[in-house]
Amino acid sequence: METKNVKSLGKMVGVLDCFSTTERSLSVSEIAERTGLPRSTAHRSILALKEVGFLEQERSRDQYRLGMRLFQLGATVLNNLDLQRKARPFCETLNSLTSESVHLCVFDGERMVFVERATGGPTGDQNDTIVMEISPCYCTGVGKATLAFQPQPIIDRVIAAGQDRFTAHTLVEPEALRRELEEIRACGYALDREEHKLNVRCVAAPIRNSAGRVIASVSSSGPAKRMSEERQHELAPYVVSHAEAISKQLGWVPPEQA
Amino acid sequence: METKNVKSLGKMVGVLDCFSTTERSLSVSEIAERTGLPRSTAHRSILALKEVGFLEQERSRDQYRLGMRLFQLGATVLNNLDLQRKARPFCETLNSLTSESVHLCVFDGERMVFVERATGGPTGDQNDTIVMEISPCYCTGVGKATLAFQPQPIIDRVIAAGQDRFTAHTLVEPEALRRELEEIRACGYALDREEHKLNVRCVAAPIRNSAGRVIASVSSSGPAKRMSEERQHELAPYVVSHAEAISKQLGWVPPEQA
DNA sequence: CCTCCTTGTTCCGCATTGCGGGATGTTAGT
DNA sequence: ACTAACATCCCGCAATGCGGAACAAGGAGG
């Protein structure tokens, strides 16, 4: 499954995956240790990645960090992402159905990214403004809805990175979080019970791309007074069905379609 | 130079580089044609890239596009980019020196990205807001200053993508643009003569990272009245020296340092 | 000052990995 | 139905990447 073609590419990605927002720069042996590769192999891979601009070597030391080439490719992906465009009508109907504010967030591998794009100005041509708001994925509705459906290694990685307590309700215990994710997988939607911000509760459901992977989530959120546990479960079916509609719009085909 | 280690990685990157904001999705044979790879090799590479999430297959099946994994890595790069933090003091002094507004933009491979980050909120912890403003690189001071120092293939690619006319002064002729870049390389800074927006003129200078590559630029810009051609040349040394200071801060060491 | 230990870098022979021409499915157009 | 164009699969050959080991460069500690 993992190693069909171009096995070396797998190693390369393994090297890149050693880096994160907390592990900004690593040395050859740290990378070798994390990937389990022999030092010489790790070194050769790093050299290759440096040649193509996926890694850059720090000035003084033997430290490497992710290269600008990845930023370039990532920016292109962001630009080509037509999630927002395709999702907009569904977000709007969901908004009027629930009379609560609707959020659409993309998963970036460790955090949720709320992306808003304003193709602005009178010239109208290329001058985009993109506003990204980043929030943790373990204590928001959209975050948990997305995280629950990620492959196990990613979940482990997120949990291993540690959880900060934002409110009294934040799930900071790894086990509690894992149970919560289990439950989300079972029922198909996630609830935020003031885990990130006090007085904010929401219901969120996952969005799949054409490859079937969960890449984002939508949520309907409101103040605690209006958004009782009961109301959350009441709204859930609407949120889920709209998330599914968006998934289909992205080219996802539900399984068992004979 | 290109093919030292892990030659396959070069091909993989070649495949990824076929995509851009205008070429959102491509078929196997289009990729084969653009890369010059035999179809079967291209196909195998694509499969491998799909396995690691660098490419995704569209519903329509025969089309591929850049995958979310690249967005993830790009987001990490953006997050780890401490350009702004390191550049801030220099931008501030440049601002008081020139009494004009100062801009700091990063090159994303085809466009300039102005990045502003607000680590916001009372919680203060992980909840970042990032505002990105994207503008063309062929008709802004920061854009031309950066573009001029890119490797030839990237310049060719940008020029081949075509130039839109924003004002009467925009350089839309490829040859005129190439000559302009040549001049910028010679003098070390770029001038914007109302090429993007009427009544806005600026002086910009390139910023290099520790690898010596130009990844960004700073500019000082103002209204046409104040920013005469003469004043631009007057300010240039300040902009250039501050850009160099920022480069050094990023770990760049000037050549010929014996 | 010398020694030991850690870590980056280079070498080289072996066999695994990827190569690519061609065969085989699959879809679309007439 | 026939053809054309293209995606996908197959398989034998050899180039490619592998990784153990040697080498080099520091740094810490005695």
Side-chain angles (χ1 to χ4, degrees):
Chain A
M1 216 52 158
E2 279 283 8
T3 55
K4 217 165 157 188
N5 294 295
V6 198
K7 204 169 112 195
S8 61
L9 186 63
K11 296 188 196 199
M12 300 298 155
V13 175
V15 172
L16 294 179
D17 278 339
C18 294
F19 295 87
S20 70
T21 50
T22 47
E23 302 274 38
R24 298 182 167 208
S25 72
L26 297 169
S27 67
V28 174
S29 47
E30 283 169 322
I31 292 171
E33 187 192 9
R34 277 170 181 66
T35 55
L37 259 40
R39 275 223 314 287
S40 70
T41 303
H43 183 256
R44 190 157 21 79
S45 303
I46 290 167
L47 236 57
L49 288 165
K50 199 174 85 177
E51 268 168 20
V52 297
F54 281 8
L55 286 183
E56 279 166 19
Q57 194 162 16
E58 300 244 324
R59 54 190 182 282
S60 47
R61 315 221 168 135
D62 312 320
Q63 297 285 105
Y64 295 85
R65 51 169 56 203
L66 295 177
M68 287 303 287
R69 192 72 164 269
L70 289 168
F71 170 67
Q72 300 168 5
L73 289 163
T76 305
V77 174
L78 181 60
N79 194 294
N80 295 357
L81 229 256
D82 39 25
L83 173 63
Q84 294 110 74
R85 188 169 50 76
K86 287 181 173 163
R88 175 151 310 146
F90 299 96
C91 291
E92 278 164 9
T93 65
L94 186 57
N95 174 49
S96 33
L97 264 174
T98 63
S99 308
E100 300 289 358
S101 56
V102 170
H103 289 112
L104 174 70
C105 295
V106 185
F107 185 56
D108 85 344
E110 43 183 328
R111 305 155 307 171
M112 295 309 292
V113 185
F114 172 74
V115 183
E116 192 163 27
R117 179 175 303 167
T119 308
T123 32
D125 193 85
Q126 275 282 43
N127 225 359
D128 281 350
T129 299
I130 296 175
V131 179
M132 304 186 4
E133 204 176 311
I134 295 173
S135 51
C137 71
Y138 52 86
C139 63
T140 59
V142 284
K144 292 191 298 177
T146 312
L147 187 58
F149 296 93
Q150 297 305 309
Q152 199 58 45
I154 295 196
I155 297 179
D156 292 338
R157 187 184 150 120
V158 167
I159 293 183
Q163 280 66 53
D164 290 318
R165 173 174 291 289
F166 286 88
T167 75
H169 307 93
T170 309
L171 296 172
V172 292
E173 287 301 324
E175 279 322 309
L177 185 51
R178 282 183 198 279
R179 266 196 307 276
E180 171 86 352
L181 295 179
E182 184 57 54
E183 205 171 303
I184 292 166
R185 274 189 290 272
C187 73
Y189 57 87
L191 303 186
D192 173 353
R193 302 175 173 92
E194 304 185 62
E195 293 157 39
H196 183 44
K197 288 179 183 162
L198 283 174
N199 198 32
V200 175
R201 297 168 61 90
C202 80
V203 202
I207 295 171
R208 312 185 104 97
N209 69 2
S210 59
R213 280 182 43 198
V214 172
I215 59 158
S217 288
V218 249
S219 73
S220 178
S221 67
K225 280 179 191 169
R226 276 209 302 275
M227 197 58 91
S228 66
E229 185 97 10
E230 193 187 353
R231 178 122 191 278
Q232 286 179 304
H233 287 291
E234 228 171 86
L235 293 180
Y238 298 105
V239 179
V240 169
S241 66
H242 282 70
E244 275 176 6
I246 295 170
S247 299
K248 282 175 193 160
Q249 202 60 223
L250 294 178
W252 175 68
V253 283
E256 313 299 303
Q257 190 100 3
Chain B
M1 217 53 161
E2 281 281 8
T3 55
K4 219 166 159 185
N5 296 294
V6 198
K7 205 170 112 194
S8 61
L9 186 63
K11 295 186 200 202
M12 301 297 155
V13 175
V15 172
L16 295 179
D17 278 338
C18 293
F19 295 86
S20 70
T21 50
T22 48
E23 302 274 39
R24 296 181 167 209
S25 72
L26 297 168
S27 68
V28 174
S29 47
E30 284 169 321
I31 291 171
E33 188 191 9
R34 279 170 179 66
T35 56
L37 260 42
R39 279 229 303 287
S40 67
T41 303
H43 182 258
R44 190 158 22 79
S45 303
I46 290 167
L47 235 59
L49 288 165
K50 198 174 85 176
E51 269 168 20
V52 297
F54 281 8
L55 286 182
E56 278 165 20
Q57 195 162 17
E58 301 240 327
R59 67 237 155 241
S60 48
R61 256 224 283 307
D62 307 332
Q63 295 287 103
Y64 296 85
R65 52 169 54 205
L66 295 177
M68 288 302 289
R69 192 74 166 269
L70 289 168
F71 171 67
Q72 299 168 7
L73 289 163
T76 305
V77 174
L78 182 60
N79 194 294
N80 294 358
L81 228 259
D82 39 25
L83 172 64
Q84 295 111 72
R85 188 168 51 75
K86 286 182 173 164
R88 176 152 307 149
F90 299 95
C91 291
E92 278 164 9
T93 65
L94 186 58
N95 174 51
S96 33
L97 265 174
T98 64
S99 309
E100 301 288 358
S101 56
V102 170
H103 288 113
L104 175 70
C105 295
V106 186
F107 185 56
D108 86 344
E110 43 182 329
R111 306 155 306 170
M112 296 308 294
V113 186
F114 172 75
V115 183
E116 193 164 25
R117 179 174 304 167
T119 308
T123 30
D125 193 85
Q126 275 281 43
N127 226 359
D128 281 351
T129 299
I130 295 176
V131 180
M132 304 188 0
E133 203 176 312
I134 295 173
S135 52
C137 71
Y138 52 84
C139 64
T140 58
V142 283
K144 293 191 297 177
T146 313
L147 186 58
F149 296 93
Q150 296 306 310
Q152 198 59 45
I154 294 196
I155 298 179
D156 292 339
R157 185 184 152 122
V158 166
I159 293 183
Q163 281 66 53
D164 290 318
R165 173 174 292 288
F166 286 89
T167 75
H169 307 92
T170 309
L171 297 172
V172 292
E173 287 301 322
E175 278 322 307
L177 185 51
R178 283 184 198 278
R179 266 197 307 277
E180 170 87 352
L181 295 179
E182 183 58 55
E183 205 171 305
I184 292 167
R185 275 189 289 272
C187 73
Y189 58 88
L191 303 185
D192 174 352
R193 304 174 173 94
E194 304 185 62
E195 293 158 39
H196 184 44
K197 288 179 184 163
L198 283 175
N199 198 31
V200 175
R201 297 168 61 90
C202 79
V203 201
I207 295 171
R208 312 185 102 96
N209 69 1
S210 58
R213 280 183 43 200
V214 172
I215 59 159
S217 288
V218 249
S219 74
S220 177
S221 68
K225 282 178 191 171
R226 275 210 302 275
M227 198 56 91
S228 65
E229 185 96 11
E230 192 187 352
R231 178 122 191 278
Q232 285 179 306
H233 288 291
E234 229 172 85
L235 292 181
Y238 298 105
V239 179
V240 170
S241 66
H242 281 71
E244 276 176 6
I246 295 170
S247 299
K248 282 176 192 157
Q249 203 59 222
L250 294 178
W252 176 68
V253 283
E256 312 300 302
Q257 192 100 3

Short mmCIF file of all heavy atoms in Angstrom, two decimals, chain A residues 6-8 27-29 39-40 43 62 64, chain C residues 6-12 16-19:
data_model
loop_
_atom_site.label_atom_id
_atom_site.label_comp_id
_atom_site.label_asym_id
_atom_site.label_seq_id
_atom_site.Cartn_x
_atom_site.Cartn_y
_atom_site.Cartn_z
N VAL A 6 8.28 3.87 -6.86
CA VAL A 6 9.17 4.95 -6.46
C VAL A 6 9.30 4.99 -4.94
O VAL A 6 8.90 5.94 -4.28
CB VAL A 6 8.65 6.31 -6.97
CG1 VAL A 6 9.76 7.34 -6.95
CG2 VAL A 6 8.15 6.17 -8.39
N LYS A 7 9.87 3.94 -4.45
CA LYS A 7 9.98 3.80 -3.01
C LYS A 7 10.75 4.96 -2.40
O LYS A 7 10.47 5.39 -1.28
CB LYS A 7 10.69 2.48 -2.67
CG LYS A 7 10.37 1.96 -1.28
CD LYS A 7 10.89 0.54 -1.11
CE LYS A 7 12.03 0.51 -0.11
NZ LYS A 7 12.78 -0.76 -0.18
N SER A 8 11.70 5.46 -3.16
CA SER A 8 12.51 6.55 -2.61
C SER A 8 11.65 7.75 -2.25
O SER A 8 11.89 8.41 -1.26
CB SER A 8 13.59 6.96 -3.60
OG SER A 8 13.01 7.42 -4.80
N SER A 27 18.65 18.39 12.40
CA SER A 27 19.96 18.01 11.88
C SER A 27 19.85 16.64 11.20
O SER A 27 18.83 15.97 11.31
CB SER A 27 20.96 17.92 13.01
OG SER A 27 20.61 16.84 13.85
N VAL A 28 20.89 16.27 10.51
CA VAL A 28 20.88 14.99 9.80
C VAL A 28 20.56 13.83 10.74
O VAL A 28 19.71 13.00 10.45
CB VAL A 28 22.24 14.73 9.11
CG1 VAL A 28 22.26 13.33 8.50
CG2 VAL A 28 22.49 15.77 8.05
N SER A 29 21.24 13.81 11.86
CA SER A 29 21.03 12.64 12.72
C SER A 29 19.66 12.64 13.38
O SER A 29 19.08 11.58 13.61
CB SER A 29 22.13 12.54 13.76
OG SER A 29 22.36 13.76 14.37
N ARG A 39 22.03 6.70 8.73
CA ARG A 39 22.50 8.07 8.58
C ARG A 39 22.89 8.42 7.16
O ARG A 39 22.57 9.48 6.65
CB ARG A 39 23.67 8.35 9.53
CG ARG A 39 23.25 8.75 10.90
CD ARG A 39 24.06 9.90 11.48
NE ARG A 39 25.49 9.79 11.31
CZ ARG A 39 26.27 8.94 11.99
NH1 ARG A 39 25.72 8.12 12.86
NH2 ARG A 39 27.56 8.93 11.78
N SER A 40 23.58 7.52 6.51
CA SER A 40 24.04 7.87 5.17
C SER A 40 22.88 8.03 4.20
O SER A 40 22.89 8.91 3.35
CB SER A 40 25.04 6.83 4.66
OG SER A 40 24.40 5.62 4.40
N HIS A 43 21.18 11.25 4.90
CA HIS A 43 22.00 12.35 4.39
C HIS A 43 21.81 12.53 2.89
O HIS A 43 21.67 13.63 2.39
CB HIS A 43 23.46 12.07 4.71
CG HIS A 43 24.37 13.17 4.29
ND1 HIS A 43 25.16 13.08 3.18
CD2 HIS A 43 24.59 14.38 4.81
CE1 HIS A 43 25.85 14.20 3.05
NE2 HIS A 43 25.51 15.00 4.03
N ASP A 62 24.53 22.71 11.10
CA ASP A 62 24.13 21.56 10.30
C ASP A 62 22.64 21.35 10.44
O ASP A 62 22.17 20.23 10.60
CB ASP A 62 24.90 20.33 10.79
CG ASP A 62 26.36 20.66 10.93
OD1 ASP A 62 26.88 21.36 10.06
OD2 ASP A 62 26.97 20.22 11.91
N TYR A 64 18.70 21.83 9.00
CA TYR A 64 17.92 21.99 7.78
C TYR A 64 16.51 22.41 8.14
O TYR A 64 16.02 22.10 9.21
CB TYR A 64 17.88 20.67 7.02
CG TYR A 64 19.23 20.24 6.51
CD1 TYR A 64 20.11 19.53 7.32
CD2 TYR A 64 19.62 20.56 5.21
CE1 TYR A 64 21.36 19.15 6.85
CE2 TYR A 64 20.86 20.17 4.74
CZ TYR A 64 21.72 19.47 5.56
OH TYR A 64 22.95 19.11 5.09
P DT C 6 28.65 8.80 21.98
OP1 DT C 6 27.75 8.31 23.05
OP2 DT C 6 29.12 7.87 20.93
"O5'" DT C 6 27.96 10.04 21.27
"C5'" DT C 6 28.22 11.38 21.75
"C4'" DT C 6 28.10 12.34 20.59
"O4'" DT C 6 29.37 12.46 19.90
"C3'" DT C 6 27.07 11.94 19.52
"O3'" DT C 6 26.21 13.04 19.29
"C2'" DT C 6 27.91 11.62 18.30
"C1'" DT C 6 29.14 12.48 18.52
N1 DT C 6 30.38 12.02 17.86
C2 DT C 6 31.12 12.93 17.15
O2 DT C 6 30.81 14.09 17.02
N3 DT C 6 32.27 12.42 16.59
C4 DT C 6 32.73 11.12 16.66
O4 DT C 6 33.77 10.78 16.11
C5 DT C 6 31.90 10.21 17.42
C7 DT C 6 32.31 8.78 17.56
C6 DT C 6 30.78 10.70 17.98
P DT C 7 24.95 12.90 18.29
OP1 DT C 7 23.89 13.80 18.77
OP2 DT C 7 24.72 11.46 18.07
"O5'" DT C 7 25.51 13.50 16.92
"C5'" DT C 7 26.07 14.81 16.91
"C4'" DT C 7 26.58 15.11 15.52
"O4'" DT C 7 27.85 14.42 15.30
"C3'" DT C 7 25.66 14.63 14.38
"O3'" DT C 7 25.62 15.63 13.39
"C2'" DT C 7 26.36 13.38 13.87
"C1'" DT C 7 27.82 13.80 14.05
N1 DT C 7 28.79 12.71 14.04
C2 DT C 7 30.00 12.93 13.44
O2 DT C 7 30.30 13.99 12.91
N3 DT C 7 30.87 11.87 13.46
C4 DT C 7 30.64 10.63 14.02
O4 DT C 7 31.50 9.75 13.98
C5 DT C 7 29.35 10.45 14.65
C7 DT C 7 29.00 9.15 15.28
C6 DT C 7 28.50 11.49 14.62
P DG C 8 24.60 15.60 12.22
OP1 DG C 8 23.64 16.68 12.43
OP2 DG C 8 24.13 14.20 12.07
"O5'" DG C 8 25.50 15.96 10.96
"C5'" DG C 8 26.16 17.22 10.92
"C4'" DG C 8 27.29 17.16 9.91
"O4'" DG C 8 28.19 16.09 10.29
"C3'" DG C 8 26.85 16.86 8.48
"O3'" DG C 8 27.54 17.71 7.58
"C2'" DG C 8 27.24 15.41 8.26
"C1'" DG C 8 28.42 15.24 9.20
N9 DG C 8 28.56 13.90 9.73
C8 DG C 8 27.67 13.22 10.54
N7 DG C 8 28.07 12.02 10.86
C5 DG C 8 29.30 11.90 10.23
C6 DG C 8 30.22 10.82 10.21
O6 DG C 8 30.11 9.72 10.77
N1 DG C 8 31.34 11.12 9.44
C2 DG C 8 31.55 12.31 8.78
N2 DG C 8 32.68 12.41 8.10
N3 DG C 8 30.71 13.32 8.80
C4 DG C 8 29.61 13.05 9.53
P DT C 9 27.08 17.70 6.06
OP1 DT C 9 27.43 19.01 5.49
OP2 DT C 9 25.72 17.17 5.93
"O5'" DT C 9 28.10 16.64 5.43
"C5'" DT C 9 29.51 16.87 5.59
"C4'" DT C 9 30.29 15.79 4.87
"O4'" DT C 9 30.28 14.57 5.65
"C3'" DT C 9 29.75 15.40 3.48
"O3'" DT C 9 30.79 15.59 2.54
"C2'" DT C 9 29.36 13.94 3.63
"C1'" DT C 9 30.24 13.48 4.78
N1 DT C 9 29.75 12.32 5.57
C2 DT C 9 30.55 11.21 5.68
O2 DT C 9 31.65 11.12 5.15
N3 DT C 9 30.02 10.19 6.43
C4 DT C 9 28.80 10.17 7.06
O4 DT C 9 28.43 9.20 7.70
C5 DT C 9 28.00 11.36 6.91
C7 DT C 9 26.65 11.45 7.55
C6 DT C 9 28.51 12.38 6.18
P DT C 10 30.59 15.27 1.02
OP1 DT C 10 31.33 16.26 0.24
OP2 DT C 10 29.14 15.03 0.82
"O5'" DT C 10 31.35 13.87 0.88
"C5'" DT C 10 32.71 13.77 1.30
"C4'" DT C 10 33.22 12.35 1.05
"O4'" DT C 10 32.61 11.44 2.01
"C3'" DT C 10 32.93 11.78 -0.34
"O3'" DT C 10 34.12 11.20 -0.84
"C2'" DT C 10 31.84 10.75 -0.07
"C1'" DT C 10 32.20 10.28 1.34
N1 DT C 10 31.07 9.71 2.12
C2 DT C 10 31.24 8.50 2.75
O2 DT C 10 32.28 7.85 2.69
N3 DT C 10 30.15 8.07 3.46
C4 DT C 10 28.94 8.72 3.60
O4 DT C 10 28.04 8.22 4.27
C5 DT C 10 28.83 9.97 2.92
C7 DT C 10 27.56 10.75 3.00
C6 DT C 10 29.88 10.41 2.22
P DC C 11 34.21 10.75 -2.38
OP1 DC C 11 35.44 11.36 -2.92
OP2 DC C 11 32.90 10.96 -3.03
"O5'" DC C 11 34.45 9.17 -2.23
"C5'" DC C 11 34.55 8.62 -0.92
"C4'" DC C 11 34.83 7.13 -0.98
"O4'" DC C 11 33.89 6.50 -0.09
"C3'" DC C 11 34.63 6.45 -2.34
"O3'" DC C 11 35.52 5.37 -2.44
"C2'" DC C 11 33.17 6.03 -2.29
"C1'" DC C 11 33.01 5.66 -0.81
N1 DC C 11 31.64 5.89 -0.28
C2 DC C 11 31.09 4.94 0.61
O2 DC C 11 31.75 3.95 0.92
N3 DC C 11 29.84 5.15 1.09
C4 DC C 11 29.16 6.25 0.74
N4 DC C 11 27.95 6.43 1.25
C5 DC C 11 29.71 7.22 -0.16
C6 DC C 11 30.94 7.00 -0.64
P DC C 12 35.82 4.74 -3.90
OP1 DC C 12 37.28 4.51 -3.96
OP2 DC C 12 35.14 5.55 -4.92
"O5'" DC C 12 35.10 3.32 -3.83
"C5'" DC C 12 35.17 2.51 -2.64
"C4'" DC C 12 34.14 1.40 -2.72
"O4'" DC C 12 32.88 1.89 -2.20
"C3'" DC C 12 33.84 0.92 -4.15
"O3'" DC C 12 33.73 -0.49 -4.15
"C2'" DC C 12 32.52 1.58 -4.50
"C1'" DC C 12 31.85 1.60 -3.14
N1 DC C 12 30.81 2.65 -2.99
C2 DC C 12 29.74 2.44 -2.10
O2 DC C 12 29.70 1.39 -1.46
N3 DC C 12 28.81 3.41 -1.96
C4 DC C 12 28.90 4.54 -2.68
N4 DC C 12 27.95 5.46 -2.51
C5 DC C 12 29.97 4.77 -3.58
C6 DC C 12 30.89 3.82 -3.70
P DT C 16 17.55 -7.84 -3.79
OP1 DT C 16 18.15 -8.24 -2.52
OP2 DT C 16 16.70 -8.77 -4.53
"O5'" DT C 16 16.74 -6.49 -3.51
"C5'" DT C 16 17.48 -5.40 -3.01
"C4'" DT C 16 16.99 -4.09 -3.55
"O4'" DT C 16 17.68 -3.72 -4.77
"C3'" DT C 16 15.49 -4.00 -3.87
"O3'" DT C 16 15.10 -2.70 -3.46
"C2'" DT C 16 15.45 -4.15 -5.39
"C1'" DT C 16 16.74 -3.45 -5.80
N1 DT C 16 17.40 -3.93 -7.05
C2 DT C 16 18.06 -3.01 -7.84
O2 DT C 16 18.10 -1.82 -7.58
N3 DT C 16 18.68 -3.54 -8.94
C4 DT C 16 18.70 -4.86 -9.32
O4 DT C 16 19.30 -5.21 -10.33
C5 DT C 16 17.98 -5.77 -8.45
C7 DT C 16 17.93 -7.21 -8.78
C6 DT C 16 17.38 -5.27 -7.37
P DT C 17 13.57 -2.32 -3.41
OP1 DT C 17 13.36 -1.69 -2.11
OP2 DT C 17 12.76 -3.49 -3.83
"O5'" DT C 17 13.49 -1.19 -4.52
"C5'" DT C 17 14.56 -0.24 -4.59
"C4'" DT C 17 14.47 0.60 -5.84
"O4'" DT C 17 15.11 -0.09 -6.93
"C3'" DT C 17 13.05 0.92 -6.28
"O3'" DT C 17 12.94 2.34 -6.35
"C2'" DT C 17 12.89 0.26 -7.65
"C1'" DT C 17 14.32 -0.04 -8.10
N1 DT C 17 14.50 -1.36 -8.76
C2 DT C 17 15.39 -1.49 -9.80
O2 DT C 17 16.05 -0.57 -10.21
N3 DT C 17 15.48 -2.76 -10.32
C4 DT C 17 14.78 -3.88 -9.92
O4 DT C 17 14.95 -4.96 -10.46
C5 DT C 17 13.87 -3.67 -8.82
C7 DT C 17 13.06 -4.81 -8.32
C6 DT C 17 13.77 -2.44 -8.29
P DG C 18 11.59 3.04 -6.72
OP1 DG C 18 11.54 4.29 -5.95
OP2 DG C 18 10.51 2.05 -6.64
"O5'" DG C 18 11.85 3.42 -8.23
"C5'" DG C 18 13.03 4.14 -8.56
"C4'" DG C 18 13.31 4.00 -10.03
"O4'" DG C 18 13.50 2.61 -10.36
"C3'" DG C 18 12.19 4.51 -10.94
"O3'" DG C 18 12.80 5.26 -11.98
"C2'" DG C 18 11.56 3.21 -11.45
"C1'" DG C 18 12.79 2.33 -11.55
N9 DG C 18 12.57 0.89 -11.59
C8 DG C 18 11.71 0.16 -10.81
N7 DG C 18 11.73 -1.12 -11.08
C5 DG C 18 12.66 -1.24 -12.10
C6 DG C 18 13.12 -2.39 -12.81
O6 DG C 18 12.78 -3.55 -12.65
N1 DG C 18 14.08 -2.05 -13.77
C2 DG C 18 14.54 -0.78 -14.02
N2 DG C 18 15.46 -0.65 -14.97
N3 DG C 18 14.13 0.30 -13.36
C4 DG C 18 13.19 0.00 -12.42
P DC C 19 12.04 6.05 -13.02
OP1 DC C 19 12.55 7.42 -13.06
OP2 DC C 19 10.61 5.78 -12.80
"O5'" DC C 19 12.48 5.31 -14.35
"C5'" DC C 19 13.86 5.12 -14.61
"C4'" DC C 19 14.02 4.36 -15.90
"O4'" DC C 19 13.76 2.97 -15.67
"C3'" DC C 19 13.06 4.82 -16.99
"O3'" DC C 19 13.80 5.24 -18.13
"C2'" DC C 19 12.19 3.60 -17.30
"C1'" DC C 19 12.98 2.44 -16.71
N1 DC C 19 12.14 1.40 -16.07
C2 DC C 19 12.14 0.10 -16.58
O2 DC C 19 12.83 -0.16 -17.56
N3 DC C 19 11.38 -0.84 -15.96
C4 DC C 19 10.66 -0.53 -14.89
N4 DC C 19 9.94 -1.49 -14.32
C5 DC C 19 10.64 0.80 -14.36
C6 DC C 19 11.39 1.73 -14.97
#
